[in-house]
Amino acid sequence: MTEHTVRAFTEELEALSADIARMGGLAEQALTDAVTAIARRDASIAKTVIEGDIKIDDLQREIERKIMRLLALRQPMGRDLRQTVAALKLAADLERIGDLAKNVAKRALTIQEFDPIALTKSVERMGKLAAVQLKQVLDAFVTHELAGAIDVWKNDEELDEHYNSLFRELLTYMMEDPRMIGPGAHLLFVAKNIERIGDHCTNIAEVIHYLETGEDLGSDRPKAVETSASQIPSPPAMDTPK
Amino acid sequence: MTEHTVRAFTEELEALSADIARMGGLAEQALTDAVTAIARRDASIAKTVIEGDIKIDDLQREIERKIMRLLALRQPMGRDLRQTVAALKLAADLERIGDLAKNVAKRALTIQEFDPIALTKSVERMGKLAAVQLKQVLDAFVTHELAGAIDVWKNDEELDEHYNSLFRELLTYMMEDPRMIGPGAHLLFVAKNIERIGDHCTNIAEVIHYLETGEDLGSDRPKAVETSASQIPSPPAMDTPK
């Protein structure tokens, strides 16, 4: 390769990283806004998130096209190859985060009329925790700081525990008042979506680790035990009239 | 490239396809078994699915390693490059399908003691529909028949509609009897997981289309409208004692 080619190639890889960072910024905004939409029952913010998701999708397609061109024309090797394949994975994770945020926003519209404020306080807290995770892992990507990525990977357990306690809490509300079953079911999915966003953040952390070291982060991530039967709270006695 | 190199390369690509097909077979089995575990409350089948998921994960990692090697050493172009990148995506989708099936199996263990047979009939039907979609799209991959892939892509709407009606149905059960709220919530997630498996089948169909034609299938897939507020059934009047 001539010096010129090498420089052009480096620039292309940098442009790719910039695209990923931009996509990350959009996903982060979508998550923050979706959580706000849930917390404040704000239909206009929810609609912004729903309509904005297409920008994230378009960016993913653009990134994929660039990657295919890069693989075909530049035939990268070593770290360059890792960086190219990592971009493909990161774009896929960010697209899913955008999608999950959009779904949260849709459910914000759905529960609007129900107004179960108490139900959404914990959801909001969990959403903010996920937003911190996402911000931190995106920072780690931009700064190449492995420590930040490893932190995110380790902290996902906290989000899982949050989800488990939220699951119990929502079920309790639903058992106390059948009118809460509809919105409660939607909020269960909102909580699940946020928990999934956390999983994608750990995926991103793993990709960053692989990118920077060439090694897998390993599959022994500490993980809260999945919500199980023992965690279904008992319903209040409803067989006899209250 | 020498004739020998070309042959070796073709063999590597074929081996990659065989790995994907094998992974697909495992994912298909996991889905079928998970649905059976739900329908029959069969803990031993559920455990088989849960423990077997590691095989799917291992296979994905092996496929990814092969792909990285192939990209680095062979520097494929044109259709070969498409095939290589497609394998990366297909492996990711199949890994997720395995994961979702594992999650369904875990919930089969959770609802075991509740025995809400009526609740799981429709879930079983939906699961079987998803299994047909998965089988059909894997066949399309192996036989390179585009028509099968396009069918799967179009038929996903049916699965979405199934999910929407199941959502309503489960909520109705939960409103009628608060003891159903716990298992009902788990079955909502089972239904959602199956619907997600359907989405991954359409992803796979899109990848096959891209692989065979070099063109995107487009993003105008017919899609059932998401379950919305209007679809939350009204709870029975519970304020006054029955």
Side-chain angles (χ1 to χ4, degrees):
Chain A
M1 279 201 254
T2 66
E3 201 186 315
H4 175 76
T5 325
V6 172
R7 203 174 54 230
F9 181 40
T10 307
E11 276 167 16
E12 280 176 54
L13 277 180
E14 276 167 11
L16 203 54
S17 287
D19 282 343
I20 295 287
R22 194 150 60 95
M23 212 181 151
L26 291 176
E28 208 183 318
Q29 189 64 49
L31 171 57
T32 308
D33 287 348
V35 171
T36 304
I38 287 282
R40 296 198 205 146
R41 316 278 183 282
D42 190 320
S44 91
I45 294 184
K47 279 173 193 158
T48 310
V49 175
I50 294 163
E51 286 159 13
D53 188 52
I54 197 165
K55 262 187 265 172
I56 302 179
D57 292 351
D58 286 346
L59 205 42
Q60 186 199 14
R61 262 191 294 274
E62 194 185 317
I63 288 170
E64 288 199 350
R65 267 194 299 269
K66 281 187 187 172
I67 289 170
M68 290 304 282
R69 206 164 47 221
L70 222 140
L71 285 171
L73 301 181
R74 306 294 188 178
Q75 310 189 325
M77 298 181 71
R79 194 189 195 279
D80 292 342
L81 176 59
R82 284 211 304 277
Q83 203 170 333
T84 312
V85 174
L88 200 66
K89 291 190 170 194
L90 294 174
D93 277 309
L94 291 172
E95 188 273 336
R96 278 301 299 150
I97 290 175
D99 227 38
L100 290 162
K102 181 172 83 170
N103 192 277
V104 168
K106 280 187 184 170
R107 294 187 195 272
L109 292 180
T110 304
I111 61 161
Q112 234 193 333
E113 54 196 276
F114 287 100
D115 207 38
I117 292 289
L119 266 77
T120 50
K121 275 273 170 249
S122 313
V123 177
E124 185 184 5
R125 229 172 9 247
M126 189 184 169
K128 283 183 175 168
L129 199 62
V132 169
Q133 288 277 88
L134 180 55
K135 187 188 179 314
Q136 199 176 345
V137 84
L138 291 171
D139 285 349
F141 171 71
V142 171
T143 60
H144 306 276
E145 284 200 23
L146 215 49
I150 292 171
D151 272 356
V152 166
W153 192 72
K154 285 184 181 157
N155 290 343
D156 187 52
E157 196 183 2
E158 201 183 327
L159 211 52
D160 289 347
E161 282 163 7
H162 221 98
Y163 169 72
N164 284 340
S165 83
L166 195 47
F167 182 91
R168 283 182 64 87
E169 192 187 336
L170 287 170
L171 252 54
T172 307
Y173 279 115
M174 291 157 82
M175 284 165 181
E176 280 168 8
D177 180 355
R179 286 166 309 178
M180 290 296 110
I181 291 176
H186 283 290
L187 286 173
L188 282 175
F189 281 116
V190 167
K192 189 71 195 173
N193 284 344
I194 296 172
E195 190 255 356
R196 285 294 304 151
I197 287 174
D199 288 345
H200 286 286
C201 291
T202 68
N203 283 356
I204 292 174
E206 286 173 9
V207 173
I208 293 173
H209 190 277
Y210 172 73
L211 170 61
E212 301 291 343
T213 68
E215 302 283 332
D216 281 341
L217 193 48
S219 50
D220 55 345
R221 189 169 60 81
K223 203 161 166 60
V225 176
E226 182 105 11
T227 307
S228 72
S230 59
Q231 289 174 293
I232 297 181
S234 301
M238 279 288 204
D239 284 346
T240 47
K242 276 197 285 194
Chain B
M1 279 202 253
T2 67
E3 200 187 316
H4 175 76
T5 326
V6 173
R7 202 172 58 230
F9 180 40
T10 308
E11 277 167 16
E12 280 176 54
L13 278 180
E14 276 168 10
L16 202 55
S17 287
D19 283 343
I20 296 287
R22 193 151 60 95
M23 212 181 150
L26 291 176
E28 207 183 320
Q29 189 64 50
L31 171 57
T32 309
D33 287 349
V35 172
T36 305
I38 287 281
R40 295 198 206 145
R41 314 277 182 285
D42 190 320
S44 92
I45 293 182
K47 280 174 191 154
T48 310
V49 175
I50 295 164
E51 286 160 12
D53 187 52
I54 197 165
K55 260 187 266 172
I56 301 179
D57 291 350
D58 286 346
L59 204 43
Q60 186 200 13
R61 262 191 293 274
E62 195 185 317
I63 288 169
E64 288 201 349
R65 267 195 299 270
K66 280 187 188 172
I67 289 170
M68 289 303 282
R69 206 164 47 223
L70 222 139
L71 284 171
L73 301 181
R74 305 294 186 180
Q75 308 187 326
M77 298 180 72
R79 193 186 197 281
D80 292 342
L81 176 59
R82 285 211 305 275
Q83 202 170 333
T84 312
V85 173
L88 199 66
K89 290 188 170 195
L90 294 174
D93 278 310
L94 291 171
E95 189 273 336
R96 277 301 299 152
I97 290 175
D99 228 38
L100 290 161
K102 181 172 82 168
N103 191 276
V104 168
K106 279 187 183 171
R107 294 186 194 273
L109 292 181
T110 303
I111 61 162
Q112 234 192 334
E113 53 197 275
F114 288 97
D115 207 39
I117 293 288
L119 266 76
T120 50
K121 275 274 171 248
S122 313
V123 177
E124 185 184 6
R125 228 171 11 245
M126 188 183 169
K128 282 182 176 168
L129 199 62
V132 169
Q133 288 276 88
L134 180 55
K135 188 188 178 313
Q136 199 177 344
V137 83
L138 291 171
D139 285 349
F141 172 72
V142 172
T143 59
H144 306 277
E145 285 199 23
L146 214 51
I150 292 172
D151 272 355
V152 167
W153 193 73
K154 285 184 181 156
N155 291 342
D156 187 51
E157 196 183 3
E158 200 184 328
L159 211 51
D160 289 347
E161 280 162 6
H162 221 98
Y163 169 72
N164 284 339
S165 83
L166 195 46
F167 183 90
R168 282 182 65 88
E169 190 186 339
L170 287 170
L171 251 55
T172 307
Y173 280 115
M174 290 157 83
M175 284 166 181
E176 280 168 9
D177 181 354
R179 285 168 309 180
M180 289 297 111
I181 290 176
H186 283 291
L187 287 172
L188 282 175
F189 281 115
V190 167
K192 189 71 198 172
N193 285 344
I194 295 171
E195 189 256 357
R196 286 293 304 153
I197 287 174
D199 287 344
H200 286 288
C201 291
T202 67
N203 283 355
I204 292 174
E206 287 173 8
V207 173
I208 294 172
H209 190 276
Y210 173 73
L211 170 61
E212 301 292 342
T213 67
E215 302 282 332
D216 282 342
L217 193 47
S219 49
D220 55 343
R221 187 170 61 81
K223 202 158 169 62
V225 176
E226 182 104 12
T227 307
S228 72
S230 59
Q231 289 175 294
I232 297 182
S234 300
M238 277 288 205
D239 286 344
T240 47
K242 275 197 287 195

